[in-house]
Amino acid sequence: MTDIDLDRIEALTNAATDGPWVAHPDGLVWTEQPRIGDPVSGSTEIADAEFIAVTRTAVPVLLVIAEAARYVVGDRRCVEGDCDHAGEVDDNAADDAPCPLVETRYATAAELLAVISLLMSTDGDELGDDEEIPVGEIRRVLAEAVTR
């Protein structure tokens, strides 16, 4: 999959006309709030216009989901900056240099779905604030999701 520039998408989203947008049967896309001037976008195909209209509210939500899906992989000491791996790799590394063994990445859809299933109790309700999932169980489920 090609890397997605989330910062650029966010900038484009913030610069676009406020939404929500509405697709009209003529293929034009307008803001839901009346405004004077041109439509937000136009298309000769109503399906294209509907797609364009829904992106105005869907993209900000997808950006939040993408940011939430990013997580840090690494030993707790490395993540918290309490290791000296940077100094071991580079003698000139600053004392506060990040650990080169820590990886920040985005969860795959399979990993997210696997973890979501852990967050639900057997009756389908979300876990309560006082309920805990062992970290080892989360790691096991993630490992299984990666190998599928």
Side-chain angles (χ1 to χ4, degrees):
M1 185 172 119
T2 305
D3 287 339
I4 298 172
D5 185 348
L6 294 177
D7 292 334
R8 183 167 190 279
I9 293 170
E10 183 176 20
L12 291 170
T13 300
N14 292 338
T17 303
D18 287 338
W21 294 349
V22 178
H24 288 262
D26 60 4
L28 296 177
V29 178
W30 297 86
T31 63
E32 196 171 69
Q33 301 299 319
R35 75 177 197 160
I36 298 172
D38 296 327
V40 175
S41 181
S43 172
T44 57
E45 300 293 328
I46 188 63
D48 293 341
E50 289 173 346
F51 177 78
I52 292 166
V54 79
T55 61
R56 185 62 188 102
T57 49
V59 168
V61 173
L62 294 172
L63 285 168
V64 170
I65 291 170
E67 186 59 33
R70 182 169 37 193
Y71 66 97
V72 177
V73 179
D75 182 85
R76 181 193 57 78
R77 287 186 26 232
C78 297
V79 171
E80 293 175 358
D82 294 334
C83 73
D84 188 38
H85 291 126
E88 293 171 11
V89 173
D90 179 3
D91 292 334
N92 298 321
D95 290 339
D96 61 348
C99 177
L101 304 179
V102 174
E103 171 191 2
T104 301
R105 69 181 186 90
Y106 290 92
T108 65
E111 291 170 322
L112 289 173
L113 291 172
V115 171
I116 287 171
S117 68
L118 274 181
L119 299 177
M120 304 300 284
S121 65
T122 56
D123 63 1
D125 293 332
E126 291 182 18
L127 290 175
D129 291 338
D130 59 336
E131 297 177 275
E132 296 180 357
I133 300 170
V135 172
E137 180 65 6
I138 293 172
R139 287 185 177 149
R140 182 191 64 75
V141 168
L142 286 173
E144 287 178 5
V146 170
T147 59
R148 287 184 193 159

